[in-house]
Amino acid sequence: MDKILVVDDNKEITDLIESILEKEGYEVVKAYSGLEAVNLFEATMSLVILDVMMSEMNGYEACQKIRQQSQVPILFLSAKGTDVDKVVGLSAGGDDYMVKPFSAIELVARVRALIRRYHYAGKIQQSTNLIVVNDVLAIDVDARKVTKYGEEISLTRTEFGILELLAQNKGRVFSTEEIFKSVWQDKYYEGNNTVMVHLARLREKIEDNPRKAQIIKNVWGVGYKIED
């Protein structure tokens, strides 16, 4: 059972979150200040839900203290909802940021996603025969197999070739011509949209939202890349 540390100086909120999460099968530990959260934190915990405005030690400070000993996902849950607040929270080491008031459905969805990615990242880090992308994809070049969150994805030979090329050269931008010459091993001619068609199909399989790609990114006017 995953254990979640819930931190807020408002007891009604911690009790509400506890009720929501326990119904989903999670074990909840509650703290009412940043200092108490740091003292209660255990390496076995799978997630921390952290308020920002608290006495003794605020949420940003508590996050930084926890980050010194663990990469556990941290979800800020705060009434402070400006873009600046969110940037500060993520810069302090948070993984996600929700604004109060919140819906139970959205809270559970974010909790599940953060914990799933955390466990999956832990598994793939143990393997040295993989190319890991965004803690989401694991590409086994020798077996020519791709998994997303641990579930195997069926790719064509061409789709795998494009993904392998970009993943093995993280940070480098490839033009459609360079991709075509490398994967197809053939001459490229202007107006050939073959690469774009295959990229679109590949994104449908590997991206959570193909229209807002987070794995294979466009560099407008230049080409495509997977970030390091």
Side-chain angles (χ1 to χ4, degrees):
M1 178 185 295
D2 287 301
K3 185 186 295 186
I4 299 174
L5 177 60
V6 177
V7 190
D8 199 300
D9 57 3
N10 186 323
K11 187 176 185 302
E12 290 183 2
I13 292 178
T14 57
D15 288 347
L16 173 61
I17 296 174
E18 178 184 39
S19 176
I20 293 169
L21 296 180
E22 284 186 342
K23 288 178 182 177
E24 299 297 322
Y26 298 108
E27 179 183 348
V28 174
V29 177
K30 295 182 289 186
Y32 302 99
S33 73
L35 182 59
E36 185 181 8
V38 172
N39 291 333
L40 286 176
F41 179 75
E42 301 173 0
T44 55
M45 290 174 172
S46 300
L47 177 70
V48 178
I49 298 177
L50 193 57
D51 185 27
V52 172
M53 297 179 289
M54 295 180 291
S55 60
E56 294 186 285
M57 181 187 292
N58 67 39
Y60 300 141
E61 294 170 324
C63 177
Q64 292 173 334
K65 291 286 187 183
I66 292 171
R67 273 287 166 265
Q68 292 174 6
Q69 56 181 306
S70 174
Q71 290 302 309
V72 65
I74 295 175
L75 168 62
F76 279 107
L77 185 60
S78 173
K80 295 166 68 68
T82 69
D83 288 343
V84 172
D85 295 320
K86 294 175 183 178
V87 169
V88 172
L90 297 176
S91 298
D95 296 276
D96 202 353
Y97 198 109
M98 282 185 67
V99 179
K100 300 174 185 175
F102 59 90
S103 73
I105 292 175
E106 183 180 4
L107 176 65
V108 170
R110 298 219 193 177
V111 165
R112 284 176 177 166
L114 287 168
I115 290 178
R116 179 181 62 181
R117 292 187 67 167
Y118 180 58
H119 288 327
Y120 181 59
K123 289 179 182 177
I124 60 180
Q125 285 171 1
Q126 297 172 6
S127 175
T128 58
N129 193 34
L130 298 172
I131 302 173
V132 179
V133 180
N134 289 18
D135 291 339
V136 174
L137 293 183
I139 305 166
D140 188 329
V141 176
D142 294 335
R144 301 189 69 79
K145 183 173 74 172
V146 178
T147 57
K148 178 180 179 181
Y149 297 127
E151 297 292 327
E152 187 170 352
I153 300 172
S154 177
L155 299 183
T156 66
R157 181 177 178 179
T158 301
E159 290 164 352
F160 185 91
I162 295 172
L163 182 61
E164 179 186 4
L165 173 68
L166 298 177
Q168 286 187 329
N169 297 276
K170 289 180 182 178
R172 177 182 166 185
V173 181
F174 286 83
S175 67
T176 53
E177 180 177 354
E178 289 174 318
I179 294 173
F180 187 87
K181 287 180 177 178
S182 177
V183 175
W184 275 263
Q185 295 290 303
D186 201 354
K187 274 189 176 182
Y188 179 83
Y189 56 89
E190 292 297 327
N192 186 348
N193 68 348
T194 302
V195 171
M196 295 178 66
V197 171
H198 282 83
L199 270 168
R201 291 176 180 169
L202 176 59
R203 280 174 162 165
E204 288 287 341
K205 295 179 180 181
I206 67 173
E207 301 280 359
D208 289 336
N209 183 353
R211 294 186 178 183
K212 296 182 180 179
Q214 296 299 310
I215 296 174
I216 298 179
K217 296 191 174 183
N218 284 27
V219 179
W220 296 109
V222 184
Y224 304 89
K225 70 172 180 176
I226 289 177
E227 292 183 342
D228 196 355

